Amino acid sequence: MMMDAGGCVEQGKNIITAAKHVNKRVRYANKTIKKNNRSSSSCKKMRREAVFPRVPEVLQQLFVSCREIFKGPGTVPPASDVNKLRSILDKMKAEDVGLGKNLHFFKARGAVKGTPRVTCTTIYQCDEFSLCIFFIPEAAVIPLHNHPGMTVFSKLLLGTMHIKSYDWIGSIRSIKKNDTTPSPQLRLARLKANSAYTAPCDTSVLYPTTGGNIHEFTAVTPCAVLDVMGPPYSKDEGRDCSYYKDFPYRDHEDGGTRGVSEEEGECYGWLQEIEAPEGAEMDRMEYFGPQIKQTTF
């Protein structure tokens, strides 16, 4: 399957910068179009500006604030710091990371078989936090997954996306289907979100154990999502990503011990940990948007 990498084409009077997926790899091509009424030095200046875009103030502000706020594994930012980061992200636009409002991400060339793949690009990553953008083609899914020990800010930059999220509230239990079928391990969770969101919208925040720590993204239209994760995933440090399948609460009611009504039951779900599904694998591409200034503190 061949797809445009976001159809990411920034077009000026004298330069076109294009990014394309070729055999699941990314190829960037710069093409300069010279006009007779432009001097050579002017063309060179415009080319430099297109290849090395100036960092937007809000993006630099986000980076500096993350350096100040995230203190590494085992820590959670206080409410004042969470509000500070959220207010910065609420102001961010697609253009702040080099994306135009009218870009069409991952336009398939020809028929696409199966679920389209998600692509991720990393703006910056260190031991304390990471800044990443996820490009999610229409109908693509980032499967239900958790964020152990992490505080995560998600800002929808472009498109409409359906989000389903849960928080744990119950202990693990086994459900016996019959004498020959192994009993799956299920755990009760509260449904925190199950709605579609359209950019521009407020930034969502989840915490190591609350706020919708286990969530799933489904693109209703092509989407771009900026994620700030502190700290980032690390298998070596015990922050590996786990995946889940959810079941309606009514399918395995809690033996009458919880005693919820049918309407209240819609607020719960049973989650079963599973192996990483096929849709969990992502393509990676190098970030060619505005470059942050890595200020030394």
Side-chain angles (χ1 to χ4, degrees), residues 125-201:
Q125 180 165 323
C126 62
D127 291 341
E128 286 73 36
F129 68 93
S130 64
L131 308 176
C132 302
I133 304 173
F134 296 92
F135 301 110
I136 314 175
E138 183 176 347
V141 178
I142 298 181
L144 200 62
H145 62 283
N146 69 344
H147 305 81
M150 302 161 66
T151 304
V152 182
F153 298 74
S154 295
K155 170 64 175 180
L156 182 61
L157 297 172
L158 292 170
T160 298
M161 183 171 66
H162 185 274
I163 300 177
K164 179 187 281 189
S165 65
Y166 292 93
D167 284 334
W168 296 122
I169 63 169
S171 58
I172 297 174
R173 62 179 295 218
S174 295
I175 303 297
K176 186 175 182 180
K177 292 184 177 180
N178 54 52
D179 292 338
T180 60
T181 303
S183 300
Q185 296 293 309
L186 302 180
R187 187 174 177 183
L188 190 61
R190 183 186 299 276
L191 187 65
K192 297 290 292 185
N194 191 20
S195 301
Y197 300 83
T198 300
C201 57

Side-chain angles (χ1 to χ4, degrees), residues 17 39 50 81 110 118 124 133 147 166 169 180 187 228 259 261 263 266 270-271 279 293:
T17 302
S39 68
D81 287 343
V118 175
Y124 178 84
I133 304 173
H147 305 81
Y166 292 93
I169 63 169
T180 60
R187 187 174 177 183
V228 178
S261 66
E263 183 177 351
E266 297 298 323
W270 295 102
L271 304 189
K293 299 176 182 177

